[in-house]
């Protein structure tokens, strides 16, 4: 079986698959059109986010047996067309769930305890104690929206902080020792902290908008390590200015390019986020640790070997 790998990943992918008889071609520079011209030479393709695999691409990939995405989200793949073409879809959310959970918690702790702000002040010779008084997680209700791999790992971390963890998910009967499943209405009524763990779909696009925020019973913190377009930035900014949202920890933004490699179309709302002391921003790195790079790759290899070896 011949496999085309379109992004740089941990070398164990190529090493282990080659040891098991697969032929691996590395191509980290070809454009969409260039890849499309040669895709029929391959049985499988391994990607991250650099090149979208849309319907046109998949309809011309007559020999493709599988697509493996090193990561969780599959929005850069036309999954419906892949199913029509009997192309197996593989991803690896198990590989970076721990990294995402730790990042979410770390961002919130930094935000609620003003760690970054006070550190920068001290480095400038500014010593302000009362102004940097923190806010504790203990005793608060954390509401997770989405309870897959990332949500469960995040709930496990929060459960050790003496808070109550609840979650909403479209699938039933997911409660476990770390969190209780509730309705979205109950979550809105009780949560002090919201953390998003969702794919981007028509239903989850701008799930956090003016209406959602207005329906929250309490002023709250929000964490997003999922997809930037889950939050309507304009609504977020208005809520930060009014105090309805007490702080935002954002690893993703509405203005990321589809490849997640940079920003585009920055507007006045995003510029507000850049200057607000109520906001922490990181460049879509919640799932990027030394350990997760290897784990993501190993999950992909194991799933490919399980399906085709």
């Amino acid at each position: 079986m011949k496999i085309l790998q379109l992004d740089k990943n941990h070398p164990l992918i190529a090493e282990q698959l080659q040891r098991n008889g697969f032929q691996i071609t590395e191509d980290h520079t070809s454009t969409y059109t260039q890849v499309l011209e040669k895709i029929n030479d391959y049985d499988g393709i391994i990607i991250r986010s650099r090149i979208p695999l849309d319907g046109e691409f998949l309809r011309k990939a007559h020999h493709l047996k599988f697509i493996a995405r090193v990561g969780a989200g599959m929005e850069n793949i036309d999954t419906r067309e892949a199913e029509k073409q009997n192309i197996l879809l593989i991803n690896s959310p198990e590989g970076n769930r721990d990294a995402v959970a730790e990042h979410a918690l770390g961002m919130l702790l930094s935000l609620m305890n003003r760690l970054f702000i006070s550190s920068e002040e001290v480095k400038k010779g500014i010593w302000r104690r009362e102004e940097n008084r923190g806010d504790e997680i203990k005793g608060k209700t954390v509401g997770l929206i989405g309870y897959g791999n990332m949500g469960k790992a995040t709930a496990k971390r929060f459960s050790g902080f003496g808070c109550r963890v609840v979650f909403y998910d479209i699938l039933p009967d997911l409660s476990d020792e770390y969190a209780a499943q509730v309705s979205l209405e109950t979550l809105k009524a009780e949560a002090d902290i919201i953390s998003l763990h969702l794919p981007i779909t028509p239903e989850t696009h701008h799930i956090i908008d003016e209406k959602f925020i207005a329906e929250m019973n309490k002023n709250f913190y929000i964490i997003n390590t999922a997809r930037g377009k889950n939050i309507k930035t304009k609504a977020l900014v208005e809520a930060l200015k009014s105090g309805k949202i007490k702080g935002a920890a954002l690893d993703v933004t509405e203005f990321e390019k589809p490849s997640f490699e940079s920003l585009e179309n920055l507007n006045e709302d995003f510029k507000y986020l850049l200057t607000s002391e109520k906001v922490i921003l990181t460049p879509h790195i919640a799932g990027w640790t030394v350990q997760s790079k290897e784990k993501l790759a190993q999950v992909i290899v194991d799933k490919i070997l399980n399906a085709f070896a």
Side-chain angles (χ1 to χ4, degrees):
M1 184 174 283
K2 298 174 66 175
I3 299 174
L4 179 63
Q5 184 162 218
L6 290 177
D7 299 272
K8 291 182 180 179
N9 293 301
H10 197 286
L12 73 80
I13 292 179
E15 292 168 0
Q16 293 189 21
L17 289 177
Q18 285 171 341
R19 283 204 304 268
N20 282 273
F22 294 82
Q23 298 179 44
I24 309 298
T25 300
E26 303 275 356
D27 183 350
H28 309 148
T29 59
S30 287
T31 65
Y32 172 96
T33 301
Q34 290 170 331
V35 174
L36 188 56
E37 290 174 351
K38 60 183 179 182
I39 191 58
N40 276 320
D41 293 334
Y42 297 94
D43 305 290
I45 190 168
I46 299 173
I47 63 168
R48 285 209 316 262
S49 303
R50 186 173 67 86
I51 291 180
L53 305 186
D54 56 18
E56 178 187 0
F57 185 101
L58 297 178
R59 283 188 291 272
K60 294 181 179 179
H62 303 299
H63 300 145
L64 205 58
K65 295 181 177 64
F66 75 86
I67 299 167
R69 180 165 189 272
V70 183
M74 305 288 273
E75 64 268 26
N76 60 328
I77 303 169
D78 187 332
T79 56
R80 289 186 179 180
E81 186 62 34
E83 290 173 5
K84 288 181 183 178
Q85 304 296 331
N86 293 317
I87 299 171
L88 176 66
L89 297 177
I90 298 169
N91 64 346
S92 53
E94 307 92 336
N96 63 352
R97 59 189 174 193
D98 295 322
V100 169
E102 291 186 14
H103 193 95
L105 185 57
M107 291 183 82
L108 184 67
L109 288 169
S110 295
L111 184 67
M112 294 176 68
N113 293 283
R114 296 176 62 86
L115 299 183
F116 181 76
I117 293 167
S118 58
S119 175
E120 290 300 300
E121 288 178 349
V122 171
K123 290 177 181 179
K124 295 175 183 176
I126 301 169
W127 193 267
R128 302 197 308 166
R129 298 183 68 221
E130 185 57 38
E131 296 85 347
N132 287 309
R133 188 180 290 274
D135 192 8
E136 296 180 13
I137 295 175
K138 184 177 181 180
K140 291 182 170 57
T141 296
V142 178
L144 311 178
I145 302 181
Y147 207 61
N149 281 280
M150 310 305 174
K152 291 175 182 177
T154 303
K156 185 176 182 179
R157 268 69 179 180
F158 272 112
S159 67
F161 275 76
C163 57
R164 174 173 173 247
V165 185
V166 298
F167 69 89
Y168 168 75
D169 195 283
I170 59 173
L171 299 177
D173 303 322
L174 297 178
S175 294
D176 57 25
E177 60 187 301
Y178 303 114
Q181 188 163 8
V182 298
S183 68
L184 190 57
E185 290 71 25
T186 298
L187 186 145
K188 290 177 183 177
E190 299 179 359
D192 301 282
I193 299 163
I194 296 285
S195 186
L196 302 181
H197 303 279
L198 298 163
I200 191 68
T201 68
E203 293 73 28
T204 64
H205 184 271
H206 286 177
I207 187 173
I208 306 298
D209 59 7
E210 293 90 349
K211 182 176 183 293
F212 184 103
I213 293 168
E215 291 172 350
M216 287 291 293
N217 184 49
K218 303 177 185 178
N219 295 348
F220 64 101
Y221 296 93
I222 190 163
I223 311 165
N224 192 6
T225 55
R227 289 292 182 258
K229 289 181 172 58
N230 292 141
I231 297 179
K232 185 178 180 181
T233 306
K234 186 174 184 61
L236 170 64
V237 168
E238 290 172 355
L240 285 165
K241 289 178 177 178
S242 72
K244 182 69 177 186
I245 292 182
K246 299 164 72 173
L250 308 174
D251 181 54
V252 292
T253 84
E254 190 173 3
F255 307 104
E256 289 179 62
K257 290 185 177 180
S259 65
F260 312 132
E261 295 299 327
S262 61
L263 297 172
E264 61 182 356
N265 302 325
L266 303 188
N267 63 13
E268 291 305 312
D269 291 323
F270 185 75
K271 291 176 183 177
Y272 174 86
L273 300 182
L274 295 177
T275 59
S276 174
E277 287 192 349
K278 296 180 178 181
V279 178
I280 289 181
L281 295 163
T282 53
H284 204 133
I285 56 169
W288 287 53
T289 63
V290 173
Q291 293 80 9
S292 72
K293 184 176 183 179
E294 181 172 351
K295 287 190 285 187
L296 283 165
Q298 191 62 63
V299 169
I300 287 294
V301 168
D302 291 345
K303 289 184 177 180
I304 292 172
L305 292 179
N306 184 62
F308 297 103

